[in-house]
């Protein structure tokens, strides 16, 4: 991960914890359920961020189990630690996914939500997950993507979108695509969101040594209540928006330094 992205997370870690608790919890629960995390399991959450998935797993492993969340951003890990009671069961450790400082065959389950595409070397990270899993261990990855076009979920979602557009008079806004679209229209110097298509991801998982690979789609949708919440959601979870906001701040800060008369420059809205 580049320094810019790491700094981007540092600036939003507290908000990230709040926003993902509201929006990603059902997906964290789906990951844990698909991995059949159960009593006594040793679970690793890679790219744990503010620890949403690790906490969800901790609810299932009981006192004999163990959950370790790893991430490269200390700011995100600090948020993760602040949300769990201190104890032997759950720990959060700073280490890169590509070189896990963990013994071979240590974990029954490895989980990773919305993180693999952010790793500098996803293939190396997947090999590491394979190394630290026991033979027969389970890996469940969650990556963003639309429902397959020809699936029940795909058709239902697309019909739902059309109906909501009709109902709202054609003004249904969807985050974080809305802000990313605006930035593109304005020709903002955008850092693209990390992306790895489903086929490419499956190929990487396979070449890391995993067998019996299954894929499925699950979604979660909700309505934001206020314009502020809509804005916050986008500038927190969208990589291009986070990077754009960090650059805007630097630009404003340098203008203030070189020209004190622009003392009333406005901060980009939060
Ligand atoms: C989009 S966040 C997802 C966080 C969390 N899994 C969630 O769903 O809320 C991606 C996370 O991957 C972490 N990350 C990026 N590159 C990494 C690497 N090479 N090793 C470990 N963590 C990394 C980031 O610091 C960030 O916390």
């Amino acid at each position: 991960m580049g320094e810019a992205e790491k700094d981007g997370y540092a600036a939003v870690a507290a908000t990230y914890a709040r926003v993902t608790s509201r929006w990603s919890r059902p997906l964290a629960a789906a990951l844990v359920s698909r991995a059949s995390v159960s009593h006594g399991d040793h679970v690793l959450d890679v790219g744990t961020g503010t620890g949403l998935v690790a906490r969800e797993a901790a609810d299932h492993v009981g006192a004999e189990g163990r959950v370790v969340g790893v991430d490269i951003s200390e700011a995100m890990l600090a948020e993760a630690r602040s949300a769990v009671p201190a104890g032997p069961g759950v720990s959060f450790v700073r280490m890169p996914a590509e070189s896990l400082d963990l013994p071979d065959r240590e974990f029954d389950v490895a989980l990773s939500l919305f993180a693999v595409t952010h790793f500098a070397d996803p293939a190396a990270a997947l090999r590491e997950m394979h190394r630290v899993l026991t033979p027969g261990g389970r890996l469940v990855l969650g990556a963003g993507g639309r429902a397959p076009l020809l699936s029940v979920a795909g058709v239902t979602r697309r019909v739902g979108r059309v109906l909501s557009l009709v109902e709202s008079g054609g003004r249904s806004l969807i985050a974080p695509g809305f802000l990313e679209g605006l930035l593109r229209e304005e020709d903002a110097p955008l850092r693209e969101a990390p992306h790895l298509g489903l086929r490419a991801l499956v190929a990487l998982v396979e070449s890391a040594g995993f067998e019996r690979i299954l894929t499925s789609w699950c979604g979660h949708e909700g309505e934001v209540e206020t314009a502020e919440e809509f804005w916050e959601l986008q500038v927190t979870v969208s990589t291009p928006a986070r990077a754009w906001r960090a650059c805007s701040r630097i630009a404003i800060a340098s203008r203030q330094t070189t020209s004190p008369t622009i003392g009333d420059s406005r901060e980009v809205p939060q």
Side-chain angles (χ1 to χ4, degrees):
M1 178 169 67
E3 286 306 308
E5 189 178 338
K6 199 163 64 169
D7 292 349
Y9 281 116
V12 299
T15 321
Y16 197 99
R18 185 160 39 80
V19 165
T20 53
S21 292
R22 165 140 155 69
W23 293 101
S24 303
R25 176 158 289 155
L27 301 174
L31 226 66
V32 168
S33 149
R34 277 171 167 75
S36 306
V37 173
S38 44
H39 208 81
D41 274 346
H42 286 194
V43 180
L44 176 68
D45 178 21
V46 188
T48 188
T50 53
L52 187 69
V53 172
R55 285 198 298 282
E56 189 71 35
D59 289 344
H60 292 71
V61 300
E64 282 90 64
R66 179 184 168 217
V67 180
V68 179
V70 301
D71 200 283
I72 207 167
S73 161
E74 192 48 58
M76 297 289 261
L77 290 169
E79 283 299 323
R81 289 185 197 110
S82 72
V84 283
V90 188
S91 56
F92 293 100
V93 191
R94 182 166 189 266
M95 68 177 79
E98 296 86 349
S99 103
L100 297 173
D101 187 13
L102 296 165
D104 294 355
R105 304 180 170 204
E106 178 80 358
F107 294 91
D108 305 291
V109 176
L111 304 170
S112 189
L113 178 60
F114 296 144
V116 173
T117 56
H118 292 258
F119 301 157
D121 188 346
L126 288 163
R127 284 194 297 275
E128 280 292 84
M129 292 182 214
H130 188 266
R131 177 183 67 75
V132 301
L133 278 173
T134 52
R138 288 100 67 201
L139 165 73
V140 182
L141 303 175
R146 293 201 176 147
L149 192 58
L150 297 177
S151 64
V152 174
V155 173
T156 313
R157 294 217 146 204
R158 283 165 181 88
V159 171
R161 289 259 158 91
V162 172
L163 290 178
S164 95
L165 272 178
V166 172
E167 205 180 308
S168 61
R171 292 194 51 79
S172 174
L173 307 179
I174 298 169
F178 172 73
L179 178 57
E180 290 172 8
L182 273 188
L183 291 171
R184 249 176 229 112
E185 269 173 34
E186 293 298 314
D187 281 335
L190 267 193
R191 188 178 170 281
E192 285 304 317
H195 182 71
L196 198 58
L198 182 61
R199 269 197 209 158
L201 185 57
V202 168
L204 284 184
V205 169
E206 202 164 17
S207 58
F210 290 96
E211 293 164 8
R212 298 181 54 221
I213 302 164
L214 306 171
T215 65
S216 65
W217 185 89
C218 97
H220 168 59
E221 220 169 58
E223 281 182 22
V224 294
E225 309 279 326
T226 63
E228 290 74 21
E229 196 189 354
F230 185 63
W231 174 260
E232 184 179 66
L233 177 63
Q234 296 171 99
V235 293
T236 305
V237 302
S238 154
T239 297
R242 266 196 317 273
W244 163 75
R245 198 165 69 146
C247 291
S248 309
R249 281 209 172 125
I250 292 163
I252 289 166
S254 64
R255 272 171 58 191
Q256 283 175 334
T257 317
T258 52
S259 170
T261 54
I262 315 178
D264 63 346
S265 311
R266 263 167 282 153
E267 173 96 322
V268 277
Q270 300 277 334

